[in-house]
Amino acid sequence: MRISVKNLLNSEKGQESVKLGGWVRTRRDSKEFSFIEVNDGSCLQGIQVIVDAGIPGSQELSKMSTGASIEVVGELVESPGQGQSWEVRAHEVKLLGSAPDDFPLQKKGHSAEFLRSIAHLRPRTNLYGAVFRMRSRLAYAVHRFFNERDFTYVHTPIITASDCEGAGEMFQVTTNASGKPEEDFFAKRSYLTVSGQLEGETFACALSNIYTFGPTFRAENSHTSRHAAEFWMIEPEMAFCDLEGDMDLAEEFMQFLVRDVLENNEGDLSIFERFVDRGLRSRLEALATGGFNRMSYTEAVERLQNSAKSFDYPVEWGMNLQSEHERYLCEEVVKGPLTVYNYPKSIKPFYMRSNDDGKTVTAMDVLVPGVGEIIGGSQREERYDLLKAAMEAHDLSDDHYGWYLDLRKYGTVPHAGFGAGFERLLMYVTGMQNIRDVIPFARTPGNCEF
Ligand code: 4AD
Ligand code: MG
């Protein structure tokens, strides 16, 4: 039975016979023996394998170069070297696949841009191995958070006929060259979903507390380091809940995830601190233990207007906060995470609940230093007449959204939810600066490799 490098390194005692497989990181040869550092991606560290000249398989040693895959059977013994607890004295080595000299990951210190162009090989580097182990761990923590709170996991559709955000940034799904919707596969226009929220609401209005966690797609032509055309979103939705409860959940969610990372990802965090962001751990610890600031949109605009900084986008009430504003608010004004709420109605989607002032809606965004908006949510308009009027104002027809109005017709309840961008969460907990570097194969305008 093969044992992972992680389990070998965590072993409590030596073992006479172990088997492992992995990729060669480095090899040093002397006359009588060779040292091979083998990494199998189960953890950051590799394990040192000592191959004596003449053991079975050693005649192929010269081909066990950086990038080659090998299998080793040997004895797990305490390592005399510093900083490493265990090493393997090989009884037998086997070359599975050689890696010719053109293997691109020969030397350390490749640029992020170059590594994106070899996204099929970059998980074999220390840094990206750590990123994608973190991604897996964080996904698990998301499910644990909701599971511990009795939220039901709902799979909302990926193909949909509704444009949740109303921004028209949808990829069309079609099998029909003619372009006539009635001749198409679904006999109507259909798209890849931009959000599972509307369908999620139907389940919250039945099962009370639900969440979705799946891929979402946006055909927005944004060339920023924080936008991808395909990304994953987590969307809880709670019946019998208002904006206040929604903000509470969002902040608790962030803290839970960050604590989980601090407690369980020691090894991988250390590499992000060393190579990506020196202040990472202290930033995460501050969020895990400290509170969130809250500020209404109106106050946020005042703070921005009163600041000495000049922004590229001038600040006035009614505008969308740009990333420069969001980052200024949390990085300079409150110096930490910030939840902004009650945004102008005119810049928000149709489904948000109107406030009594007639100008704002119960929207909220969670902003964090370094990333900006990480979560966006709202209390939903649960009053039939007001929702119908909002839909008319947005040119949304009853034909398409009658089912959504029905939730307000039959046993309507106050309800609220939010969407958290999974890649943005990952950027926050790893310090990685570009969304393309926390998703296995990024889809951005002009880029659909692999
Ligand atoms: O703010 P958004 O657009 O909100 C919604 O879609 C709501 N329907 C969510 C809800 O209330 N259930 O998106 C939510 C989050 C953003 O805060 C951001 O983190 C992320 O999704 N996001 C993106 N991440 C990467 N690339 C993009 N193009 C993104 N657009 C949004
Ligand atoms: Mg948003």
Side-chain angles (χ1 to χ4, degrees):
M1 261 276 278
R2 185 178 67 86
I3 306 179
S4 70
V5 169
K6 178 183 173 178
N7 285 341
L8 290 172
L9 292 175
N10 288 334
S11 185
E12 279 172 3
K13 52 181 182 17
Q15 297 181 54
E16 260 170 40
S17 179
V18 296
K19 183 174 171 185
L20 67 126
W23 292 268
V24 175
R25 282 295 170 81
T26 57
R27 195 189 79 231
R28 282 184 293 128
D29 300 318
S30 71
K31 241 205 186 102
E32 287 93 40
F33 53 84
S34 297
F35 288 121
I36 306 181
E37 196 205 329
V38 180
N39 185 295
D40 70 353
S42 57
C43 63
L44 181 62
Q45 290 79 21
I47 195 162
Q48 175 154 280
V49 176
I50 297 128
V51 182
D52 289 323
I55 66 162
S58 62
Q59 65 282 4
E60 295 211 278
L61 209 54
S62 67
K63 290 190 205 150
M64 297 180 193
S65 56
T66 301
S69 50
I70 63 171
E71 217 165 57
V72 180
V73 176
E75 184 178 357
L76 185 71
V77 296
E78 246 171 283
S79 170
Q82 276 185 348
Q84 183 156 36
S85 46
W86 299 103
E87 61 187 28
V88 173
R89 270 203 166 263
H91 300 149
E92 199 182 325
V93 285
K94 190 169 160 195
L95 177 72
L96 298 178
S98 63
D101 288 347
D102 62 355
F103 178 62
L105 300 173
Q106 296 291 353
K107 53 184 190 338
K108 293 183 176 146
H110 294 292
S111 72
E113 289 77 15
F114 172 69
L115 291 170
R116 272 174 226 146
S117 75
I118 52 163
H120 58 305
L121 296 174
R122 72 179 176 170
R124 295 197 204 175
T125 64
N126 282 341
L127 182 61
Y128 289 86
V131 166
F132 293 111
R133 278 189 300 274
M134 184 73 100
R135 191 174 165 112
S136 166
R137 175 82 220 178
L138 199 66
Y140 178 53
V142 165
H143 286 299
R144 247 183 348 111
F145 176 82
F146 289 112
N147 201 45
E148 284 174 9
R149 285 160 186 76
D150 281 334
F151 280 61
T152 302
Y153 180 30
V154 175
H155 297 112
T156 49
I158 290 178
I159 300 174
T160 179
S162 53
D163 180 2
C164 173
E165 294 305 292
E169 290 164 339
M170 306 186 84
F171 290 101
Q172 200 174 337
V173 174
T174 180
T175 54
N176 176 24
S178 83
K180 291 190 189 126
E182 62 280 9
E183 288 172 14
D184 211 340
F185 191 91
F186 298 108
K188 57 158 66 173
R189 274 193 219 291
S190 58
Y191 309 91
L192 296 179
T193 186
V194 294
S195 159
Q197 179 197 321
L198 302 189
E199 292 91 346
E201 281 183 55
T202 68
F203 273 75
C205 292
L207 308 182
S208 295
N209 286 349
I210 66 100
Y211 72 105
T212 71
F213 184 5
T216 44
F217 308 87
R218 299 209 179 165
E220 54 190 331
N221 200 12
S222 303
H223 297 258
T224 80
S225 56
R226 305 174 319 131
H227 288 88
E230 175 179 313
F231 62 99
W232 283 58
M233 196 168 16
I234 300 123
E235 295 184 275
E237 191 71 31
M238 294 170 287
F240 316 102
C241 181
D242 60 9
L243 181 68
E244 194 78 12
D246 200 32
M247 294 195 285
D248 289 345
L249 187 80
E251 294 164 1
E252 195 184 327
F253 175 67
M254 285 293 298
Q255 286 194 318
F256 180 95
L257 296 184
V258 167
R259 279 194 203 121
D260 183 89
V261 164
L262 286 169
E263 280 163 23
N264 299 300
N265 287 59
E266 184 52 39
D268 292 330
L269 265 188
S270 64
I271 189 169
F272 302 131
E273 274 213 299
R274 244 173 71 208
F275 295 108
V276 184
D277 180 354
R278 273 171 182 285
L280 181 66
R281 198 179 306 250
S282 56
R283 191 156 50 72
L284 295 181
E285 276 163 2
L287 187 135
T289 52
F292 281 68
N293 289 281
R294 286 185 189 175
M295 193 185 282
S296 71
Y297 168 90
T298 301
E299 184 187 343
V301 165
E302 280 163 16
R303 293 287 196 103
L304 291 169
Q305 284 171 332
N306 294 338
S307 83
K309 191 174 156 65
S310 73
F311 296 103
D312 293 341
Y313 292 85
V315 180
E316 55 184 271
W317 200 96
M319 62 151 203
N320 242 324
L321 294 183
Q322 300 295 324
S323 142
E324 55 169 345
H325 307 129
E326 296 175 340
R327 293 189 57 172
Y328 180 83
L329 286 168
C330 49
E331 287 163 25
E332 305 295 329
V333 178
V334 303
K335 300 199 189 327
L338 170 68
T339 309
V340 178
Y341 59 92
N342 286 349
Y343 282 74
K345 193 180 199 142
S346 55
I347 56 170
K348 289 294 181 187
F350 74 99
Y351 53 73
M352 295 187 179
R353 191 178 198 277
S354 291
N355 284 316
D356 292 341
D357 62 13
K359 291 193 312 195
T360 62
V361 287
T362 52
M364 64 97 174
D365 276 358
V366 176
L367 316 175
V368 291
V371 177
E373 179 189 341
I374 200 161
I375 288 177
S378 66
Q379 185 175 339
R380 322 305 188 188
E381 184 57 81
E382 87 285 12
R383 297 162 293 185
Y384 184 95
D385 294 340
L386 276 103
L387 181 63
K388 194 158 168 40
M391 285 169 53
E392 274 159 17
H394 284 85
D395 272 334
L396 301 175
S397 73
D398 280 16
D399 286 358
H400 263 78
Y401 294 89
W403 58 274
Y404 189 68
L405 266 173
D406 271 358
L407 301 178
R408 281 71 179 169
K409 188 171 164 194
Y410 306 120
T412 192
V413 286
H415 60 288
F418 64 78
F422 188 54
E423 286 73 21
R424 301 231 180 131
L425 288 169
L426 264 169
M427 289 169 73
Y428 184 71
V429 300
T430 59
M432 298 294 281
Q433 293 293 309
N434 198 308
I435 196 165
R436 294 168 183 83
D437 298 330
V438 295
I439 193 162
F441 299 100
R443 272 77 181 96
T444 50
N447 185 17
C448 190
E449 300 303 315
F450 307 100

